[in-house]
Amino acid sequence: MLFSKLMFLFDKLNSIRSQLSLSFLAVSLVPCICLLFVFLYQAQEYRYKEDLSQERATERLAETIAQHVEMHRRGIEAAAKQITLRGGAGTSSKEDLQAVLAALHEQFPGFINLYFADTKAKTLAFYPEFNTAGKSMVGVDFSHRWHYSKLLEEKKTHISPVMKGEGGTEKLLITIVSPYFSGPNGKFLGFVLGALDLSKIGNLVNSLNLEPEYFSVITDSENYIISSPGWNELSQPKRLVSLAEDSKIKNKTEHYSELKKANVFSTVKSVDPLNWQVRISRMSEDRSKNFNVVLVCGFLGISILLLFIWYLTKKLAFNFAIDLEQLSKLAQKIARGEFPTRKKEFLFRNEQTQEVRALASSLLSMSKDLKAAHEKMQEANNHLRTGVQHKTATLTAVLESMEEGFALFDGRGLPLFINKNLEQLLNIPKWEIRSCEQFLHFFKGENQNLTLSEIFKHYQSLIKKSEKVWLRLHLFPVNTSTEIIGYALTVKDVSKQTQLENLKNSLISIVAHEMKTPVAALRMEVDTLRRKDVEWPREFVEETVEDIADEVKRLEHLVTDWLDISKIESGSLRKLCKMLDSSQWPLET
C-alpha cells in the first residue's frame, strides 16, 4: 500500500504540471530565501540599533551627571579657595560666610544644604540657617559624619556615598566637602560642604526624555542608589547587591533586577572619577517582544508572499501545462491511431501562445494527413491480405492435392504445414508430428541427435521399406539470399515404381539369359566349322549352317519381342486383343 502510494506520488511529481510548479517555486524561493536572510539581518540590525540607542542614552546620561557633579564640585572648591585667600573663615564674620553660601546656592541650585565648619566639624555658617523645625544649624557638630573622617585622613575634596541627611534635612543626599587653609600653603582651618539634592539628579534623568520602556539606575561607588524608579519612596540608603555582583560586567548585560523583580537588559557607563555607575535598562521581555514582533511580522509577510508565490506558481504552471497536456493528449491519440481532425475536441485556451497554437495546428494537419495515409494503407493492406489469403488458399489446395506427402518446417524444425497425404502415408496424425527430427527417427529407426543442417547434409533422400509400401523422403531447405529460414520435405509412395523396376530387371535378366543361349550355340557351331585340323563332310556343314540359321531366327524373334515391349511402354504400339483357338497355338519343343 505504501509502495503504491509512493509510486502514485512519484508519477504525479513526474507530470509536466508538477515539474513546472516545482521549477517556478524553486526559482521563486531563491529570492524569498535571500529576502528572509535580509529580513533576519535587518531584524538583528534593528535590535542592534535599539541596543546602540540605549547605550548612547546611557552615555549621554552619564556625561550629564558627570558634568552636574563636576560643576558643583568646582563650586565647593571655589568657595574653599575664596575662604583660604581670606586667611580662613575665622577672619570673616558669620554674615559674610552666610552671604557666600547664599551666593553659592544661587549659582548652584543643585545643593540642598551648604555650610562652613571649623577643624572640629562645628558649623560656622549654614544655608539655610534654620531647618524645617525652625532650629538654627550654626554650631552643630558633624564630626561623626563620613566626610569629616575622610578629611582627617586626606586633606582634599571628597564626594561621599549616598547618606541620610541630619539636622538641615532628612532627605537622602551626597556631600561634597573641600578643605580651606590659612593661606595657600597654610594650616588646615576647616572645610566647606555642599549636600547635593538627589531629586535634582532625577530631574536630569527626566530631562533626557528617554524611551518609555527605559528606566535608569544610578549608583555610587558602593552601589547605593542615587536615582532609580521609586527613588522618592526611599527613606534610607539602599544598596543593590546584584549590581555589586555585576560590577565587573561592562557596557551591556542582561541580569536580574531587584527593582523590577525580573530580568532586564542594561547598558552600563561608569562616571569617572566618581566611580559611579549609570545604567539604563529595559525589560528583557520587552526587548525580546519587540524583536519577536518584528520577526513575526516579517515571517507573516514572507509567508503571505510565499502563499502568493505558490498561487502564482500554480497559476503559471497551469497556464503553461494545460497547453502542453492537451498537445500531449493530441499526440497520444495520433500515436494510438485515432487521428483527431477537429480542434474543438481539445480544451485549447483562447489565450494560448502563438507557438502552441501553431504546434496544435501542425499536429491536427499532420493528423489529417496520417488519417488519409492510414486509410489508404488500410485499404492496401486489405487488398494485400485478401491476395495473400487467396494465394495461401491456392497454395494450400495445391499442396493438399499433391500425390506426395508434404511438410513445411521453420528454422527451428517446428512444423508449419502438413498435408493430408503425409498423414495417410505415415499413418500418423499431424498433431503428433512435432519436429523435423521425428522424420529422421521414423525413416532411420534411430535418434542420432543431429541438427537440421546435419540432417539436410546427410539425409536429403531416404527410402523406408516395409511389407506393404515403399516410401521415399526428400528434404530440401527454404532459404533467402542470405540465410536458411526453414525446411520442406516430400514423402512419396514408390511401391508401384519399385515393383515395375523389379519386373523390368527380371525381364532383362530372362531376356539376357535367353539371348545368351543361342549366342553360345552359334559361337560353338561357328568355332566347330572354323577348325582347320578337320575336314567336315558337306552334309555336316549344311546341317550346321541350318542350325545356325535357326538360332539366328530365334535371336531375331527375341529382339523383335523386346522392341515390341519398348513400344508398348512408350505407347507407340497399339495392342490388339482377340480371342485365339488354343488348338492353333504352335507347340515348341
Side-chain angles (χ1 to χ4, degrees):
M1 182 65 69
L2 179 61
F3 178 75
S4 60
K5 290 183 179 179
L6 290 175
M7 291 302 295
F8 175 75
L9 180 61
F10 180 74
D11 292 338
K12 291 289 287 182
L13 290 176
N14 277 338
S15 64
I16 296 176
R17 191 173 301 184
S18 298
Q19 292 292 324
L20 285 174
S21 298
L22 291 175
S23 299
F24 286 140
L25 184 61
V27 171
S28 303
L29 280 179
V30 172
C32 285
I33 292 173
C34 294
L35 182 63
L36 176 62
F37 280 108
V38 170
F39 170 73
L40 290 175
Y41 171 77
Q42 289 181 344
Q44 191 67 30
E45 188 70 13
Y46 173 78
R47 171 181 274 188
Y48 170 76
K49 288 182 178 179
E50 276 193 332
D51 295 346
L52 184 61
S53 175
Q54 180 178 335
E55 191 173 355
R56 296 281 173 79
T58 305
E59 291 175 354
R60 289 198 308 272
L61 179 58
E63 185 178 353
T64 301
I65 291 172
Q67 291 175 356
H68 177 77
V69 174
E70 179 66 16
M71 180 179 64
H72 286 75
R73 183 185 67 80
R74 289 181 180 180
I76 295 296
E77 289 179 346
K81 186 176 181 180
Q82 183 180 358
I83 298 300
T84 299
L85 292 176
R86 290 183 182 182
T91 61
S92 301
S93 64
K94 173 186 173 185
E95 289 74 14
D96 291 338
L97 294 176
Q98 202 74 25
V100 171
L101 293 177
L104 189 61
H105 182 270
E106 184 178 358
Q107 188 175 358
F108 302 101
F111 289 121
I112 190 171
N113 292 127
L114 293 162
Y115 66 82
F116 285 104
D118 59 15
T119 56
K120 300 296 183 179
K122 289 184 178 182
T123 59
L124 301 174
F126 199 97
Y127 181 89
E129 181 178 356
F130 299 97
N131 60 16
T132 55
K135 181 180 178 182
S136 175
M137 295 301 296
V138 178
V140 177
D141 184 7
F142 288 104
S143 60
H144 62 283
R145 302 289 275 178
W146 178 90
H147 47 267
Y148 181 68
S149 61
K150 287 293 183 181
L151 276 173
L152 294 179
E153 293 176 5
E154 192 174 2
K155 305 300 188 295
K156 69 174 186 176
T157 302
H158 293 279
I159 299 176
S160 72
V162 176
M163 61 180 62
K164 186 175 178 62
E166 290 184 9
T169 182
E170 293 185 356
K171 292 182 178 181
L172 297 180
L173 49 81
I174 292 175
T175 61
I176 303 175
V177 294
S178 182
Y180 61 84
F181 304 92
S182 58
N185 296 313
K187 182 180 177 183
F188 170 65
L189 298 177
F191 60 90
V192 182
L193 180 141
L196 285 175
D197 188 355
L198 299 188
S199 62
K200 300 293 184 180
I201 296 179
N203 293 336
L204 290 176
V205 174
N206 295 332
S207 67
L208 291 178
N209 297 321
L210 299 177
E211 297 293 334
E213 66 269 18
Y214 290 169
F215 65 92
S216 62
V217 178
I218 305 171
T219 59
D220 60 19
S221 59
E222 297 183 10
N223 290 324
Y224 287 105
I225 297 175
I226 298 174
S227 174
S228 69
W231 176 85
N232 292 329
E233 301 173 2
L234 298 177
S235 59
Q236 295 291 335
K238 182 177 180 180
R239 187 180 188 190
L240 294 180
V241 179
S242 63
L243 294 183
E245 294 174 352
D246 292 342
S247 59
K248 295 181 180 179
I249 301 177
K250 302 297 181 181
N251 297 328
K252 48 191 174 182
T253 182
E254 190 167 356
H255 61 92
Y256 179 77
S257 173
E258 295 180 20
L259 299 175
K260 296 293 185 178
K261 304 300 181 184
N263 289 330
V264 296
F265 176 79
S266 301
T267 52
V268 184
K269 182 67 177 178
S270 294
V271 181
D272 298 324
L274 303 176
N275 201 21
W276 290 3
Q277 279 193 340
V278 176
R279 295 193 181 202
I280 292 182
S281 304
R282 56 184 165 138
M283 303 298 293
S284 296
E285 182 180 354
D286 292 339
R287 180 172 179 258
S288 300
K289 182 179 179 181
N290 294 337
F291 183 72
N292 292 337
V293 167
V294 174
L295 285 181
V296 169
C297 293
F299 278 112
L300 184 62
I302 290 177
S303 300
I304 294 173
L305 179 61
L306 285 176
L307 289 176
F308 175 73
I309 289 174
W310 175 250
Y311 169 77
L312 188 62
T313 297
K314 295 287 288 185
K315 186 71 175 175
L316 290 174
F318 174 80
N319 291 337
F320 279 100
I322 188 65
D323 295 333
L324 294 178
E325 289 173 357
Q326 294 301 320
L327 290 173
S328 177
K329 290 180 181 179
L330 177 58
Q332 290 174 4
K333 281 201 168 188
I334 294 175
R336 290 196 299 267
E338 298 180 11
F339 305 117
T341 57
R342 292 180 297 178
K343 188 176 181 180
K344 64 181 182 180
E345 296 181 23
F346 297 90
L347 301 176
F348 287 113
R349 301 177 299 117
N350 294 328
E351 59 272 18
Q352 64 187 0
T353 59
Q354 294 180 356
E355 292 79 5
V356 173
R357 191 180 299 112
L359 183 57
S361 300
S362 299
L363 285 174
L364 290 172
S365 176
M366 183 177 67
S367 177
K368 291 179 183 178
D369 296 339
L370 288 174
K371 184 177 182 181
H374 178 73
E375 290 175 352
K376 290 182 180 179
M377 185 179 295
Q378 196 170 19
E379 184 179 358
N381 285 339
N382 291 334
H383 286 299
L384 181 61
R385 185 183 301 109
T386 302
V388 170
Q389 289 175 350
H390 290 167
K391 294 292 184 181
T392 302
T394 302
L395 181 60
T396 302
V398 171
L399 294 176
E400 290 289 353
S401 65
M402 290 176 59
E403 293 183 359
E404 296 88 353
F406 180 81
L408 181 65
F409 301 90
D410 62 13
R412 296 175 298 170
L414 301 178
L416 299 175
F417 176 80
I418 297 174
N419 67 358
K420 294 181 179 179
N421 288 337
L422 183 62
E423 295 182 70
Q424 294 174 358
L425 289 173
L426 300 180
N427 196 21
I428 299 175
K430 64 172 65 177
W431 57 83
E432 292 186 4
I433 302 174
R434 298 180 180 178
S435 65
C436 186
E437 290 88 340
Q438 190 174 353
F439 283 89
L440 175 66
H441 179 69
F442 177 77
F443 277 85
K444 295 292 291 180
E446 58 185 3
N447 186 3
Q448 299 183 12
N449 296 323
L450 300 177
T451 63
L452 286 175
S453 59
E454 292 172 339
I455 293 172
F456 174 71
K457 181 177 180 181
H458 298 288
Y459 304 106
Q460 293 185 20
S461 181
L462 296 172
I463 294 179
K464 181 177 179 62
K465 180 180 179 182
S466 65
E467 296 180 355
K468 296 182 179 181
V469 295
W470 287 66
L471 300 178
R472 181 188 297 276
L473 178 144
H474 179 62
L475 179 67
F476 55 92
V478 179
N479 51 16
T480 63
S481 59
T482 57
E483 61 179 347
I484 296 176
I485 60 173
Y487 292 88
L489 61 84
T490 58
V491 176
K492 185 177 182 180
D493 185 356
V494 293
S495 301
K496 291 183 179 180
Q497 290 87 336
T498 304
Q499 290 176 1
L500 290 176
E501 288 292 333
N502 292 337
L503 287 175
K504 185 182 292 184
N505 293 336
S506 299
L507 180 60
I508 292 172
S509 177
I510 293 171
V511 169
H513 179 71
E514 288 296 326
M515 292 181 69
K516 187 177 181 181
T517 301
V519 169
L522 286 172
R523 184 174 181 177
M524 183 182 65
E525 291 177 353
V526 169
D527 289 339
T528 301
L529 292 175
R530 291 177 61 189
R531 289 181 60 182
K532 295 180 178 181
D533 56 339
V534 178
E535 184 176 349
W536 303 104
R538 183 175 180 82
E539 293 84 5
F540 179 77
V541 172
E542 290 178 356
E543 183 180 355
T544 301
V545 171
E546 190 69 26
D547 291 336
I548 291 172
D550 291 339
E551 292 296 333
V552 170
K553 288 180 180 179
R554 185 179 177 186
L555 282 174
E556 185 179 3
H557 283 299
L558 286 174
V559 171
T560 301
D561 291 342
W562 184 255
L563 291 175
D564 290 340
I565 291 173
S566 299
K567 289 178 181 180
I568 291 172
E569 286 184 349
S570 64
S572 59
L573 180 64
R574 286 188 173 186
K575 294 184 288 183
L576 180 60
C577 298
K578 65 177 182 178
M579 297 298 293
L580 295 177
D581 187 2
S582 59
S583 60
Q584 297 179 0
W585 289 1
L587 296 177
E588 293 184 2
T589 58

